[in-house]
Amino acid sequence: MFTLPKEVNDFLITFTKKKYPIYVVGGAVRNLLLQKPVTNWDFATAATPEEILQLYPDGFYNNQFGTVGLEKEVAGVKLIFEVTTFRKEGQYRDRRHPDKIEWAKTIEDDLARRDFTINAMAYDGQRLIDPYDGQRHLREKRIVAVGDPDKRFTEDALRLIRAVRFAAQLEFLLDEPTRLSIQRNAPLIANISAERIRDEFFKILVSPHPDEGVLFLKNTGLLACLLPEVDICFMIPQKSPKRHHIYDVGTHLAMSLKHCPSADVITRFATLLHDIGKATTFRRDKTTGLITFYNHEVAGTRLVQAIAERFRLSNLEKKKLVTLVKYHQFTVNEGQTDKTLRRFIRQVGTEYLNDILALRTGDRIGSGARPTSWRFDLFKKRLVEVQKSPFRVTDVKITGYDVMKVVNIKPGPKIGKILSKIFNDVEEGRLKNERAPLLSYLRDLGKS
Ligand code: ATP
Ligand code: MG
């Protein structure tokens, strides 16, 4: 049916020689059927974790999931094979974890506990096992729950967001009974840990259609549970006299995300969140009808800080997300001085400059504007230019050591003060950033 890479085939044979049935499962089977490259190989086998470890002693066993991970190389690329013993699952009283994991005897039992029909297929190297019509649903581009959707979503509420994730990743639609069940059961997502939700949500953000993923989440009621701050934006209008906006705030956020040219997950997240402060700063003037959102980036920054905590982002991710939202309203104007541009670069940080420009591009297109303008192009060019001249104190061509030696002073705060005065003079063009004039400046200083 398909040709498997040699390493995968050999792996299967190692198990079958010992009379352990083993199958390729999960995303790998989907990708084989879709003729997409497989980077992630998952296996299901009748062998218990102990038996797998006997075959592969350097495998690492993850107790919580009953999975043995093995480092492998396929066509020169290092990756992890994840091997899980056939399971059936018991009760899920907490809607999260089965109360106990029971090993199953057959692959059919194992497939029955899987979430969606397109994920409930198995391939043993010759034969495809497809008890729930996964191949047909793959062709029809439908996400269909295995068995009774209400039962499946109440067992494990993470599946609610996984359904949307697969729809966004694969460009599929939610099958109607599955969609209605997600709608009915959306509040159960509150039982799921922030980390597991974040991992699925981030996969939606980096999918080819993150905007549609967000709209799916909204229409199923999941967004109201996950990101109420974004959900409410769909009720905030911004069309008013003298304003260029054509969408409500929520639609604008989704459209900005759609057009954000960055593939980076935090930049995409920031693009989705950049205007959430508008929900709390919305004002409509009674007489003129004019809508304003004064200081919405300040309100938004606070909300985003709380979201970053809730999603358990790392410190670095949090810093980036907050910075991008905080400064997203930056001014683009040909009359700005170099100094103003430098201040902007220092606020945002050179490392996030391209990300904030990508956010602005998304924001522009998401407001119905062209991707760029001569003004925005000039701004981008100038950002590159002004970074060529000294940018930080450490870019100045003399050091604290020079200061001590030439001015003849001992180590102390005075050195920093002198250096930053010199930097300031260099930045504003009063001094040339070359050693000779800078040293002569220091000599004068030493004399006075
Ligand atoms: P990806 O390409 O993202 O790895 P995948 O389908 O392999 O997609 P995984 O999260 O790696 O997704 O899970 C592997 C398989 O395990 C799934 O295809 C599915 O059969 C099963 N599975 C994973 N999570 C669940 C769950 N919460 N409920 C039921 N089955 C699940
Ligand atoms: Mg996988």
Side-chain angles (χ1 to χ4, degrees), residues 25-28 30 39-42 82 162 165-166 203:
V25 290
R30 262 188 352 249
T39 51
N40 211 316
W41 293 93
D42 295 328
E82 296 212 324
R162 281 174 61 87
R165 187 261 275 194
F166 286 115
K203 287 183 183 173

Side-chain angles (χ1 to χ4, degrees), residues 180-193:
L180 292 172
S181 177
I182 296 175
Q183 231 160 27
R184 274 193 299 276
N185 293 298
L188 296 180
I189 198 77
N191 295 296
I192 302 298
S193 78

Side-chain angles (χ1 to χ4, degrees), residues 88-106:
K88 34 174 186 249
E89 266 159 354
Q91 290 245 312
Y92 284 75
R93 243 168 293 157
D94 64 354
R95 308 213 150 92
R96 223 173 346 194
H97 303 110
D99 297 343
K100 59 176 196 283
I101 295 177
E102 281 182 66
W103 302 145
K105 292 248 155 36
T106 64

Side-chain angles (χ1 to χ4, degrees), residues 2 9 32 36 114 174 251 257 314 325-326 328 374 384 389 397 432 444:
F2 326 104
N9 228 346
L32 287 169
K36 288 188 188 169
R114 293 179 181 265
L174 298 170
T251 306
L257 174 61
S314 71
V325 172
K326 185 170 177 184
H328 83 266
W374 67 266
V384 177
S389 40
K397 292 269 161 58
K432 245 191 155 144
D444 291 346

Side-chain angles (χ1 to χ4, degrees), residues 44 84-89 92 108-115 132 146 152 155 159:
T84 310
T85 307
F86 293 160
R87 280 162 31 178
K88 34 174 186 249
E89 266 159 354
Y92 284 75
E108 283 78 10
D109 279 346
D110 182 87
L111 294 178
R113 60 128 188 130
R114 293 179 181 265
D115 46 9
Y132 303 101
V146 169
R152 307 323 304 280
E155 275 170 0
R159 294 171 184 160

